[in-house]
Each structure stands twice: as C-alpha cells, then as structure tokens.
Amino acid sequence: MERTIRVLIADDHGVFRWGLRTLLGSEPDIEVVGEAATGREVLERAAELQPDVILMDIQMPQINGIDATRRILEANPDVGVVVLTMFEDDESVFSAMRAGARGYVLKGAPHSEILKVLRAVGDGEAHFGPEIARRLMDFFSAPKPASPEEAFPELSSREREILELVARGHSNAKIAARLFVSPKTVANHLSRIFTKLQVADRAHAIIRAREAGLGREDP
C-alpha cells in the first residue's frame, strides 16, 4: 500500500491555502492534515499534528517562515519543510536553506512542479524547483576551507560524521548500521546536509567533501 504524505499548509492568505488544499486533495497519496495562518500557529500545529511535510510561506505574521522553519526542525528534525513563496531572491533562497528547508518552489510554478517537490521531500529527499536549482550551481565553485578540521562549520557533528562516511563511499544502509540509526534517519540527515552545503545531490556532496579533505581514510 502506498504511503500517504501528511501535509500542513502554512500561509497567511486564505484563498491561497484553499487553492493548495484543493490541489492536494485531488492527489490520492497526499492528505492535508491542517492549516496555519501565522508563524506562531504553524509552530503549534506542527507540534500537534506531526506532519510529514510543511508547505511554508516566508512572509507570515508574528513569526516569519524562516524562523518558524528553524524552530520546527530543532524540535522535530524528521519533518520536511518546503518553502513555497513569491520571493526568488538569493537572500530568501539561502536563508531558507540554512534554516533547514529541504525544498523551495515559487508560488507561480506549475502545479506539477509543486507536487514533484512535495513528494520528493515527503520521501526524505531534498528537491528544489528548476529556477532555484540554477542558483545553486553558482556555489559549486565556492572556496574550500583551509583544512578538514575547519570544513563545513554549518554542519552539526552528526551531519559532518555522516558526510565523512558518504565521502568514503558508504551506502545509507552501511552508515545506518555503523551509527546504530535507521536508514530513514540517515536519509533525513543527508537531505539537510545537501541543503546546508547547497548541493543538488550525493555526487556533488562527495565532491565538496573530498575537496575539503574528508573521506580520505577509512579506519
């Protein structure tokens, strides 16, 4: 039986929430479990409903979508946040990524693109609309840190540990067994690593890691 993706919609415009609910309600693998109109409300709803994915607007009353994303992921790292917004400037895009969002898609994108990003994030992946993905390519040539010990300060110690193992060529299953966690937990960590490093996939993450000196030895 196909898994149903439980979605919370967070946007301060009632008409837009209605449109999203209508769109998602026609999809057999997606269930809208709730809505939120303010940043404070989305924090409460996320804790109460434990959705798989939150569709998050950036500009909301009380608490903006970036801060709300950060707070939600601190409390529940497994939830996937997709930022759905009118803003496509670099500051908005990368602020959302630094906060831990695993998807970013513009409100004007085709419905098929919104659904594609939502489903990818619901499956534990990171996915960005094509307009956003093009921006990420500019970061592949970012200067590397001076030494492996200084590499990627934006990563947590566990994320850096997983990136090290990925750079050594280990699969998610092998990493999960080694760290005594589930493969899904590893996949969730990897999604956040991809967004924080601003890379599109595992191959680019390995390139960045090895350029920084990670993954050279496997004791």
Side-chain angles (χ1 to χ4, degrees):
M1 182 177 178
E2 190 175 52
R3 185 176 75 90
T4 299
I5 302 172
R6 303 173 70 254
V7 178
L8 171 62
I9 300 171
D11 195 287
D12 62 335
H13 291 93
V15 172
F16 189 75
R17 291 199 309 274
W18 175 83
L20 277 177
R21 179 182 282 276
T22 302
L23 168 66
L24 302 181
S26 65
E27 301 298 317
D29 60 329
I30 297 174
E31 176 189 4
V32 177
V33 296
E35 298 180 13
T38 70
R40 184 167 290 116
E41 189 176 3
V42 71
L43 295 181
E44 295 169 355
R45 295 282 183 167
E48 172 192 355
L49 299 171
Q50 297 292 304
D52 299 312
V53 176
I54 300 173
L55 287 176
M56 181 82 75
D57 190 17
I58 286 183
Q59 284 200 333
M60 287 191 296
Q62 300 174 347
I63 301 171
N64 67 52
I66 302 298
D67 289 341
T69 295
R70 187 177 296 108
R71 296 189 196 185
I72 288 168
L73 294 177
E74 285 174 356
N76 181 7
D78 289 335
V79 67
V81 176
V82 175
V83 171
L84 186 59
T85 180
M86 296 295 295
F87 300 96
E88 56 178 319
D89 58 284
D90 288 348
E91 182 178 355
S92 297
V93 172
F94 296 119
S95 291
M97 294 172 65
R98 284 191 293 269
R102 295 211 303 262
Y104 195 113
V105 64
L106 300 178
K107 285 184 175 180
H111 289 170
S112 59
E113 185 63 34
I114 295 173
L115 292 171
K116 181 179 180 180
V117 173
L118 189 154
R119 288 188 172 107
V121 172
D123 287 337
E125 302 173 9
H127 192 92
F128 299 87
E131 305 92 341
I132 306 306
R134 281 192 289 270
R135 294 177 183 272
L136 305 187
M137 299 304 296
D138 295 336
F139 284 78
F140 289 153
S141 59
K144 59 188 177 182
S147 70
E149 290 72 22
E150 299 172 359
F152 313 123
E154 65 269 37
L155 301 183
S156 68
S157 57
R158 176 47 63 96
E159 289 168 348
R160 193 177 185 281
E161 183 179 17
I162 289 175
L163 180 60
E164 171 76 34
L165 295 173
V166 167
R168 293 176 185 174
H170 295 339
S171 66
N172 284 14
K174 187 172 181 180
I175 294 171
R178 180 164 180 158
L179 300 181
F180 303 102
V181 297
S182 71
K184 184 178 188 298
T185 295
V186 173
N188 287 335
H189 278 300
L190 281 173
S191 292
R192 287 189 289 277
I193 289 169
F194 294 165
T195 59
K196 288 181 178 182
L197 298 189
Q198 298 155 1
V199 298
D201 53 32
R202 192 185 193 97
H204 285 109
I206 291 173
I207 292 171
R208 288 285 307 279
R210 290 182 176 172
E211 285 179 343
L214 274 64
R216 294 180 176 177
E217 297 179 2
D218 195 355

